[in-house]
Structures are given as structure tokens and as C-alpha cells.
């Protein structure tokens, strides 16, 4: 989720040593060991819990208790995800900061290692830090961010969008035109990382038909003979489902690919903010998108803050704008450890509220949660942003107004204005104003909301359920983390083929 892909995560995960049965463990039953592992989790001893779960799985396997073995492995997998991106100890975190910012004093570096100043957690008496600590220091400091974009000679997003916001809306202005894209999705897992036999289940994400994304054509799904459920591009999430018999796979890689075309449209706001109809609170849409859900979690703390932000304002459009401005002014973009967040079952909205760190997924979920807390239906759609030169996974937000429908909001892309070394204050204001109520046509939408599930969910072997920008991959005949393989070895690329 966000501009970073979790490709590195798998390699970090497999570095965790899987020990044999610990000394004295032979005297304990598999059930006792599993219970000890659960107690270790409650005590915050996650490394110890990982070892115990792995040892319990070995004992269950020797007993022929396949279901219990699988559950122990699932819990071990969850423990390993905690450390996939939380890889630094205090010494290596300090070294990472020093390498990135050699001009910082030791006192300045150490200030970022304190609780609350960076993303960190404790396990087995040791503090672990997020591997993106240096990037987040830069993101949270406008001067550092501007120095970085100056070194690039480019301010991403604002250079591609800002020149066209107030330019004539004619055929030469790409921001206000429809675009047709060709997309190619690929899953390519090395054969030697998969078991000899069994079924590889793959839910591959596809575009979904919405007002601003149309003319979707899935031109190819390969290997076609293993497609179980035909491509779905309507409803709340797009997907195609395959079951691949691994005993028939003899090449060096097991490949799944999709080819497709789709047309995107810009979304431009045209309303009088003083003439917003009253919500019908009995409407199923209103009820669905104002309640709390797993990642757009409307906690009492978030509700209290939302009421504080909007104050006495009653107009839903103006309330949403107050929330948008609040996030832009107080919560700069950050990279966050989504494997850790998923493994800990932390709602996306709660994570940014409690830590002050949020990427596109967490910021968008937070915006939606704050809106819902004050009676505004809201959601967080996602897929990819395909701005020229800056394709990557992305999420944004929408809030609903009667008679006008879903109004787009992109807090994260708006944040990019603060990184720009070459933007005037007027350009920054215009740019941020644009992304409240308007949306560029450079979007590939897979799901209409952050918690929309693939058809195979709920599934105990799918841990990463918050977003589906990459395939969900399951193989019950494997003891390895096949889901992480699916994320590590997948990609989507896009080419603008709009006719000149």
C-alpha cells in the first residue's frame, strides 16, 4: 500500500531462523507448547512466541494432527510479519539516520529514537524500529523534503499535475481528458520456492467498473486453463480466481498474467457548498458508510477529535474540508510497516491516530473514519496511481453528498506539495485545493473501499486483508509463507494508449 511495494518483505521474513525444538520441549505436549506461545504473545514476547509456535507445529506434525499443525504455522507466520519491516535495533536505527543525515548531531539522532518520535515496538525486552525511519524523518520535515526533490531535479506529482490545474480545459490538457490505458499484471514465483504438489490458489486483482473507470476489457488471463471463476469487473472489487496444480508446473517459474485495457475519466467538482441536501439516515448507503469497520475504525477517541475539528459546523461539505485541512496541517505523509499493522490487527485509522504516522492507506482510512464520526458517509478506494513517471500502489478517499454522489479526496497526493522545491505558495494552495473534490484521471481502481474482500475471504491463510493491490496467494500443501511470496513476486504496469 502507498508508493512502496512489499517486495523486500519476503526476503526479510525468511531470514528469521526457524529453530528446532528447544531444550526441554520434548517433555511438553504440542497443546501445552501452543498455549505457551499464546501466553508469550499476550506478554509481548513475540520472538519467543514465534519459536514456540514453530516447535508446536513440528510436534503436531509428528502426531499427524494436520489442522493443529497448520494453525500453529499460521500463528508463527503472523509473528514473523511483525519483524518483516521492523528490522532495526537502536544501534542500527541510529546508523541508518546517520547515513541519511550526516549533518545531524548525536543528540538530534537520538531524539528520533525516543518513543513517539518514530515507528517502533518492543518484543522480548528489545525495541525494534521501522526500516523506513530515515525516510520518515525526511517526510516530516519540509526543508529536508524540499532538499531531496531539489537533488532529484523534480517535485513528483506536483510537476505532473500543477501546470494543468488552471490551464485551459481543452484537448491539449491531459488533466481534464479521458485516458485509455493498457495494463499488465504478472505473478511470477520461482518454482523451487513452491511445493512439488498441491493447488496454488490465486486471486488476481482487476479493475472495477465505476463512474470514472469504464470500458474495461480483460484481453487475457494466463494460464487460461486454470481459471476457475471468470474475471469480475463489477461490484466493489475486481478479481479473477485461478487454481493451479503444482505437479503440472515444470518450468523455472510459476507464472500468472493478466492483460487488460480500461478508460479513466477525471472527476471535477461542480457544486454549491451552501446548497447540500440533508442526508436520509435510513438510506442503506448512509448506514453502511457511517458505521465502524475493521480499518475505518470509528473509535471514541477518533469521534472526540472529529467533533473538535468540525466544531459547530453542520454543513457536511464544509466539515469534510475541515477534516481534510486538519490532516494536511498536522499529519504529514510517512511510510508505515503494513506487515506489522496487519499482524497486530491494528485498524489503519487507529494506527495513524495513535502514532502520527500514515501513508496513503492509513491517511485515507483516517479521513474516512473522521468523516464517519460526524455523520458523513465516507470510504477509501484504492488500487494504483498511474501519474506519468510515478506509477505505484495507492489509496485515496471519498465522502458522499446527497444528489452529488461520491466526492473524491486525496490527502496523500496533496501532501506532495510540501515536498516541492520549485512551487510557489500560490501553486501549493491551488494544488491542495484541487485534491479536495477533484481527482486526476491517472487512477487504476481495484476496490471501492479498503476492506472489500476477495471472493475467497475470510480465509485463515490470507493475513493481508486490508487492501488487494497485489494477488492473494494460498497453497495449503506448503508450510512456507506463500502469501508473502505472492506479494513479493507480483507487479502491475501500465501504458497510456490514449489516441492522439
Amino acid at each position: 500500500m502507498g508508493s512502496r511495494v512489499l517486495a523486500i518483505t519476503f526476503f526479510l521474513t525468511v531470514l528469521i531462523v526457524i529453530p528446532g525444538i528447544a531444550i526441554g520441549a520434548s517433555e511438553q505436549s504440542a497443546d501445552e507448547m501452543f498455549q505457551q506461545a499464546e501466553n508469550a504473545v499476550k506478554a509481548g514476547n513475540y520472538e519467543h512466541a514465534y519459536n514456540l509456535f514453530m516447535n508446536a507445529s513440528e510436534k503436531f506434525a509428528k502426531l499427524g494432527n494436520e489442522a493443529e499443525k497448520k494453525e500453529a504455522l499460521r500463528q508463527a507466520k503472523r509473528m514473523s510479519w511483525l519483524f518483516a519491516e521492523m528490522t532495526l535495533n537502536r544501534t542500527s536505527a541510529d546508523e541508518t539516520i546517520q547515513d541519511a543525515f550526516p549533518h545531524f548531531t548525536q543528540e538530534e539522532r537520538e531524539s528520533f529514537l525516543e518513543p513517539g518520535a518514530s515507528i517502533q515496538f518492543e518484543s522480548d525486552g528489545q525495541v525494534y524500529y521501522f526500516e523506513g525511519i530515515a525516510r520518515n524523518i525526511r517526510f516530516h520535515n519540509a526543508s529536508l523534503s524540499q532538499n531531496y526533490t531539489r537533488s532529484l531535479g523534480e517535485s513528483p506529482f506536483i510537476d505532473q499535475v500543477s501546470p494543468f490545474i488552471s490551464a485551459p480545459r481543452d484537448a491539449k490538457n491531459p488533466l481534464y481528458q479521458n485516458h485509455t490505458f493498457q495494463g499488465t499484471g504478472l505473478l511470477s514465483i520461482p518454482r523451487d520456492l513452491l511445493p512439488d504438489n498441491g493447488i496454488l490458489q490465486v486471486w488476481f486483482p482487476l479493475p472495477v467498473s465505476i463512474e470514472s473507470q469504464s470500458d474495461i476489457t480483460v484481453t487475457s488471463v494466463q494460464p487460461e486453463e486454470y481459471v476457475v471463476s471468470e474475471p469480475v469487473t463489477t461490484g466493489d472489487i475486481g478479481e479473477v480466481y485461478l487454481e493451479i496444480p503444482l505437479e503440472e508446473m515444470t518450468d523455472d517459474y510459476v507464472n500468472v498474467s493478466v492483460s487488460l485495457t480500461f478508460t479513466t475519466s477525471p472527476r471535477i467538482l461542480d457544486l454549491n457548498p451552501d446548497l447540500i441536501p440533508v442526508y436520509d439516515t435510513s438510506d442503506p448507503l448512509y448506514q453502511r458508510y457511517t458505521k465502524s469497520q475493521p480499518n475505518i475504525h470509528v473509535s471514541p477517541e477518533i469521534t472526540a477529535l472529529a467533533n473538535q475539528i468540525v466544531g459547530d459546523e453542520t454543513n457536511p461539505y464544509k466539515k469534510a474540508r475541515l477534516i481534510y485541512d486538519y490532516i494536511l496541517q498536522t499529519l504529514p505523509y510517512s511510510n508505515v510497516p503494513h506487515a506489522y499493522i496487519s499482524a497486530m490487527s491494528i485498524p489503519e485509522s487507529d494506527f495513524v491516530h495513535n502514532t502520527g504516522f500514515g501513508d496513503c492507506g492509513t491517511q485515507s482510512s483516517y479521513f474516512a473514519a473522521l468523516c464517519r464520526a460526524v455523520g458523513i458517509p465516507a470510504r477509501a478506494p484504492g488500487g494504483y496511481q498511474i501519474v506519468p513517471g510515478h506509477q505505484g500502489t495507492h489509496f485515496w478517499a471519498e465522502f458522499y453528498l446527497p444528489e452529488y454522489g461520491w466526492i473524491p479526496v486525496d490527502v496523500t497526493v496533496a501532501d506532495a506539495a510540501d515536498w516541492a522545491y520549485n512551487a510557489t505558495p500560490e501553486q501549493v494552495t491551488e494544488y491542495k485545493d484541487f485534491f479536495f473534490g477533484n481527482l486526476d484521471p491517472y487512477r487504476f481502481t481495484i476496490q471501492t473501499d479498503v476492506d472489500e474482500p476477495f471472493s475467497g475471504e475470510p480465509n485463515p491463510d490470507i493475513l493481508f486483508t486490508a487492501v488487494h493491490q497485489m494477488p492473494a496467494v494460498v497453497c495449503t500443501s506448503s508450510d512456507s509463507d506463500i502469501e508473502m511470496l505472492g506479494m513479493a513476486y507480483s507487479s502491475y504496469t501500465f501504458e497510456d494508449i490514449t489516441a492522439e
Side-chain angles (χ1 to χ4, degrees):
M1 190 161 41
S3 60
R4 299 177 62 242
V5 179
L6 288 173
I8 194 172
T9 310
F10 167 73
F11 301 104
L12 295 171
T13 302
V14 297
L15 291 177
I16 297 175
V17 176
I18 300 177
I21 295 178
I23 295 175
S26 59
E27 300 171 3
Q28 299 170 328
S29 71
D31 288 325
E32 289 172 336
M33 195 168 290
F34 190 91
Q35 183 61 56
Q36 287 182 353
E38 290 186 320
N39 291 338
V41 171
K42 293 176 183 177
N45 297 322
Y46 304 111
E47 291 175 274
H48 186 48
Y50 173 84
N51 294 334
L52 288 167
F53 280 128
M54 289 301 301
N55 290 335
S57 74
E58 292 181 20
K59 286 209 163 193
F60 282 129
K62 290 179 180 178
L63 295 169
N65 296 344
E66 188 65 19
E68 290 84 351
K69 167 200 161 186
K70 282 294 183 185
E71 182 57 27
L73 285 172
R74 290 186 189 108
Q75 295 305 319
K77 165 185 165 179
R78 189 164 69 90
M79 295 300 98
S80 74
W81 278 38
L82 296 177
F83 300 92
E85 295 158 292
M86 306 292 283
T87 59
L88 305 176
N89 61 24
R90 189 177 180 90
T91 299
S92 56
D94 181 65
E95 291 171 350
T96 299
I97 297 171
Q98 186 172 25
D99 288 343
F101 308 108
H103 61 284
F104 279 10
T105 66
Q106 180 178 349
E107 184 178 1
E108 287 173 325
R109 295 197 311 271
E110 288 181 349
S111 69
F112 293 107
L113 301 176
E114 296 306 309
S118 57
I119 301 174
Q120 53 187 263
F121 87 114
E122 185 172 333
S123 174
D124 301 83
Q126 174 157 320
V127 177
Y128 291 85
Y129 296 85
F130 177 42
E131 56 85 20
I133 187 171
R135 293 191 300 274
N136 285 344
I137 291 171
R138 170 165 53 82
F139 282 131
H140 282 224
N141 184 295
S143 295
L144 293 174
S145 294
Q146 289 161 16
N147 287 339
Y148 179 72
T149 58
R150 184 178 289 107
S151 72
L152 297 176
E154 177 196 31
S155 295
F157 305 112
I158 197 165
D159 283 356
Q160 288 76 33
V161 175
S162 183
F164 301 104
I165 291 176
S166 57
R169 300 186 185 186
D170 56 26
K172 295 181 180 180
N173 191 330
L175 185 60
Y176 297 103
Q177 305 301 319
N178 293 352
H179 290 254
T180 298
F181 291 93
Q182 180 173 300
T184 302
L186 178 63
L187 172 68
S188 185
I189 303 177
R191 183 64 184 87
D192 59 4
L193 296 180
L194 296 168
D196 294 336
N197 301 292
I199 300 296
L200 188 71
Q201 298 174 270
V202 179
W203 291 265
F204 210 105
L206 296 176
V208 65
S209 180
I210 55 175
E211 183 180 355
S212 59
Q213 183 168 265
S214 60
D215 300 327
I216 299 168
T217 301
V218 180
T219 55
S220 172
V221 179
Q222 297 296 333
E224 184 178 13
E225 63 269 30
Y226 302 128
V227 173
V228 175
S229 300
E230 291 300 313
V232 175
T233 57
T234 58
D236 291 316
I237 190 168
E239 68 165 54
V240 60
Y241 173 61
L242 303 90
E243 293 183 354
I244 301 172
L246 289 174
E247 58 270 18
E248 298 180 16
M249 301 293 106
T250 58
D251 293 339
D252 291 340
Y253 290 84
V254 175
N255 294 320
V256 177
S257 65
V258 300
S259 298
L260 48 92
T261 59
F262 58 100
T263 297
T264 61
S265 306
R267 297 169 65 181
I268 307 302
L269 185 65
D270 182 18
L271 59 74
N272 184 335
D274 294 318
L275 298 176
I276 306 298
V278 176
Y279 288 116
D280 175 3
T281 58
S282 66
D283 185 340
L285 181 148
Y286 182 90
Q287 294 180 353
R288 174 180 178 181
Y289 292 106
T290 52
K291 69 180 181 180
S292 188
Q293 67 186 53
N295 282 291
I296 301 176
H297 181 228
V298 187
S299 67
E301 295 78 11
I302 286 176
T303 299
L305 176 61
N307 283 306
Q308 178 183 332
I309 292 168
V310 304
D312 296 331
E313 183 58 66
T314 59
N315 182 305
Y317 174 87
K318 295 178 181 179
K319 288 197 290 187
R321 179 62 198 239
L322 288 169
I323 292 168
Y324 175 78
D325 290 340
Y326 171 83
I327 294 176
L328 285 180
Q329 292 162 9
T330 62
L331 293 166
Y333 176 84
S334 319
N335 291 148
V336 298
H338 282 287
Y340 166 83
I341 292 172
S342 294
M344 291 292 279
S345 300
I346 302 172
E348 296 276 331
S349 58
D350 283 4
F351 185 84
V352 67
H353 181 81
N354 294 331
T355 67
F357 292 87
D359 66 357
C360 61
T362 44
Q363 285 183 325
S364 299
S365 296
Y366 194 42
F367 174 87
L370 289 166
C371 284
R372 292 186 185 191
V374 291
I376 303 171
R379 63 188 186 182
Y384 287 71
Q385 54 81 11
I386 45 181
V387 172
H390 296 283
Q391 298 182 2
T393 54
H394 191 51
F395 264 74
W396 51 99
E398 296 176 337
F399 66 98
Y400 186 84
L401 294 177
E403 296 186 10
Y404 293 102
W406 290 105
I407 309 300
V409 173
D410 196 328
V411 178
T412 303
V413 169
D415 260 336
D418 294 326
W419 315 336
Y421 76 98
N422 53 353
T424 66
E426 293 76 19
Q427 285 175 311
V428 168
T429 297
E430 178 186 60
Y431 178 86
K432 289 183 176 181
D433 285 345
F434 178 83
F435 282 103
F436 180 81
N438 307 294
L439 203 63
D440 58 79
Y442 305 114
R443 307 284 162 150
F444 176 70
T445 306
I446 292 168
Q447 56 198 102
T448 60
D449 197 16
V450 64
D451 286 307
E452 292 299 336
F454 276 146
S455 60
E457 298 176 288
N459 186 320
D461 293 305
I462 300 177
L463 181 58
F464 204 64
T465 59
V467 299
H468 288 306
Q469 298 154 316
M470 292 166 280
V473 182
V474 170
C475 182
T476 57
S477 62
S478 174
D479 292 346
S480 300
D481 190 346
I482 300 300
E483 182 181 9
M484 191 68 80
L485 284 176
M487 292 189 288
Y489 290 101
S490 65
S491 64
Y492 245 121
T493 57
F494 307 92
E495 179 184 359
D496 192 337
I497 58 171
T498 306
E500 295 293 335

